[in-house]
């Protein structure tokens, strides 16, 4: 005699889906809801008390999403032994900043700067990926390069600059993207100026204007030794020029006439002032390019190049 044993159970939903799903206006959503028995349950979707009709009862398909589509949806699995429900909420995405960084920060040298930037598409749905980008704020400074050793971006979207210096001046852009839509927020960072390195006692107060190019100034260093790792601040309203800027301005290959850069100018005795011998006016990226303006050349003459740290005269500044 054969004995057959039939095992039955209340239905169970095996599919999982997020508690909240964001979809752009006009977009589509498709969710599969699978239920098991035995006996095999009937599976269907509802919105509120209304049955949602689909080609297959197990699959929720929503197209051309609008405010009429948004709402709470429930998947039901039913057999004669029970009823299980699993739900999700569909919301129209609205990409927006939860925390927007300030538009401008004036920081002191060596200060730690923290910029909080986070975004969301719906309540409870933060974006996991925030992108920061950096642009130097002077139109010609793109050619100068950038030291990023002090910059760090954390997983929550916070950008931190430790020991801020003039290297960190510029516009920082936070970007958030969802399904092809992008929003941005910018912060202008300006780090305070420390010109204590400058000599100010010659008759030009250590800041001689070029007679060839009126926006260029030569800032004199009190020390005759160049520290390649140091940022030499120009006075307020001026920035430390890059080699590329110098190349574009000083193109003359004939060193025959004009006014000297600083040789015997402003109370100097040839290259010497108060016992310090000075020749080389450096650029912001001279540690890489080796470029300098020679104090004994005529103002319009092209750049010179070497890596020496001696006979340091100062730096080339350009009016903003």
């Amino acid at each position: 005699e054969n004995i057959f044993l039939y095992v039955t159970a209340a239905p169970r939903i095996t599919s999982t889906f997020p508690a909240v799903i964001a979809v752009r206006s006009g977009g589509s959503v498709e969710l599969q809801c699978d239920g098991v028995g035995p006996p095999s349950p009937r599976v269907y979707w509802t919105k509120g008390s209304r049955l949602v009709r689909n080609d297959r009862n197990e699959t929720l398909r929503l197209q051309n999403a609008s405010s009429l589509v948004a709402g709470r949806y429930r998947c039901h699995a039913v057999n004669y032994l029970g009823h299980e429900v699993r739900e999700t909420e569909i919301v129209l995405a609205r990409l927006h900043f939860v925390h927007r960084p300030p538009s401008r920060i004036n920081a002191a040298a060596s200060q730690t700067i923290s910029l909080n930037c986070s975004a969301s598409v719906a309540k409870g749905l933060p974006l996991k990926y925030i992108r920061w980008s950096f642009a130097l704020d002077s139109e010609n400074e793109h050619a100068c390069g950038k030291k990023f050793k002090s910059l760090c971006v954390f997983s929550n979207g916070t950008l931190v600059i430790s020991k801020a210096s003039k290297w960190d001046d510029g516009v920082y852009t936070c970007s958030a993207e969802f399904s092809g839509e992008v929003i941005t927020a910018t912060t202008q960072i300006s780090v305070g100026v420390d010109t204590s390195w400058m000599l100010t006692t010659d008759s030009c107060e250590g800041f001689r204007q070029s007679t060839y190019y009126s926006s260029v100034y030569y800032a004199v260093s009190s020390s005759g030794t160049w520290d390649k790792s140091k940022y030499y601040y120009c006075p307020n309203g001026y920035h430390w020029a890059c080699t590329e800027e110098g190349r574009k301005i000083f193109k003359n290959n004939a060193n025959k006439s004009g006014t000297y850069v600083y040789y015997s100018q402003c109370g100097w005795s040839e290259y010497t002032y108060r016992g310090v011998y000075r020749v080389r006016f450096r650029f912001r990226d001279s540690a890489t390019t080796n470029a300098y303006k020679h104090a004994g050349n005529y103002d319009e003459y092209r750049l010179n190049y070497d890596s020496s740290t001696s006979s340091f005269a100062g730096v080339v500044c350009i009016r903003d």
Side-chain angles (χ1 to χ4, degrees), residues 20-24 65-66 69-71 89-94 121-123 125:
V20 181
I21 297 173
V23 58
R24 290 189 64 183
S66 67
V69 167
E89 183 178 4
I90 295 176
V91 297
L92 282 182
R94 184 181 66 84
V121 291
K123 184 178 181 180
L125 285 180

Side-chain angles (χ1 to χ4, degrees), residues 147-166:
K147 292 185 177 179
F148 283 106
K149 62 184 180 181
S150 64
L151 188 149
C152 178
V153 179
F154 291 92
S155 58
N156 64 357
T158 299
L159 180 145
V160 175
I161 301 171
S162 59
K163 296 183 179 179
S165 74
K166 208 63 180 173

Side-chain angles (χ1 to χ4, degrees), residues 50-105:
R50 180 176 62 85
L51 178 67
V52 180
R53 299 198 176 276
N54 292 284
D55 296 338
R56 295 178 59 207
N57 289 341
E58 300 90 347
T59 304
L60 176 68
R61 289 191 183 90
L62 303 172
Q63 297 179 331
N64 298 320
S66 67
S67 57
L68 297 177
V69 167
R72 192 171 295 278
Y73 289 80
R74 292 179 175 85
C75 172
H76 303 259
V78 181
N79 65 17
Y80 70 87
L81 291 173
H83 180 193
E84 184 168 56
V85 178
R86 187 158 296 167
E87 66 177 38
T88 187
E89 183 178 4
I90 295 176
V91 297
L92 282 182
R94 184 181 66 84
L95 182 58
H96 62 284
F97 284 112
V98 177
H99 296 287
R100 178 187 289 269
S103 60
R104 176 176 288 275
I105 288 181

Side-chain angles (χ1 to χ4, degrees), residues 40-211:
S40 295
R42 176 185 172 225
V43 178
Y44 60 95
W45 287 87
T46 61
K47 181 186 179 186
S49 60
R50 180 176 62 85
L51 178 67
V52 180
R53 299 198 176 276
N54 292 284
D55 296 338
R56 295 178 59 207
N57 289 341
E58 300 90 347
T59 304
L60 176 68
R61 289 191 183 90
L62 303 172
Q63 297 179 331
N64 298 320
S66 67
S67 57
L68 297 177
V69 167
R72 192 171 295 278
Y73 289 80
R74 292 179 175 85
C75 172
H76 303 259
V78 181
N79 65 17
Y80 70 87
L81 291 173
H83 180 193
E84 184 168 56
V85 178
R86 187 158 296 167
E87 66 177 38
T88 187
E89 183 178 4
I90 295 176
V91 297
L92 282 182
R94 184 181 66 84
L95 182 58
H96 62 284
F97 284 112
V98 177
H99 296 287
R100 178 187 289 269
S103 60
R104 176 176 288 275
I105 288 181
N106 295 316
S110 298
Q111 178 181 336
T112 295
I113 302 170
S114 180
L115 299 177
N116 187 4
C117 184
S118 61
S120 175
V121 291
K123 184 178 181 180
L125 285 180
L127 288 181
K128 293 182 179 180
Y129 301 103
I130 295 292
R131 180 175 180 268
W132 280 95
S133 57
F134 173 85
L136 294 161
D137 57 358
S138 178
E139 63 178 15
N140 291 317
E141 289 188 307
H142 66 277
C144 302
K146 167 66 183 169
K147 292 185 177 179
F148 283 106
K149 62 184 180 181
S150 64
L151 188 149
C152 178
V153 179
F154 291 92
S155 58
N156 64 357
T158 299
L159 180 145
V160 175
I161 301 171
S162 59
K163 296 183 179 179
S165 74
K166 208 63 180 173
W167 292 111
D168 301 302
D169 267 9
V171 178
Y172 293 75
T173 301
C174 172
S175 303
E177 180 178 358
F178 176 76
S179 191
E181 181 184 1
V182 179
I183 56 174
T184 61
T186 59
T187 299
Q188 170 83 49
I189 292 180
S190 299
V191 180
V193 172
D194 177 8
T195 58
S196 60
W197 64 274
M198 287 181 61
L199 177 146
T200 59
T201 54
D202 69 19
S203 60
C204 294
E205 297 182 346
F207 199 57
R208 178 184 172 273
Q209 184 178 22
S210 167
T211 54

Side-chain angles (χ1 to χ4, degrees), residues 273-319:
Y273 182 79
R274 293 196 173 176
V276 178
Y277 186 79
R278 299 176 175 89
V279 173
R280 298 171 179 86
F281 286 92
R282 292 291 183 179
F283 293 88
R284 194 172 85 171
D285 52 350
S286 290
T288 301
T289 66
N290 294 327
Y292 68 93
K293 281 287 287 179
H294 194 293
N297 284 339
Y298 290 113
D299 219 342
E300 69 268 27
Y301 191 60
R302 59 177 172 77
L303 310 188
N304 295 81
Y305 299 86
D306 72 27
S307 60
S308 174
T309 58
S310 64
S311 303
F312 180 53
V315 303
V316 181
C317 301
I318 294 181
R319 186 169 54 234

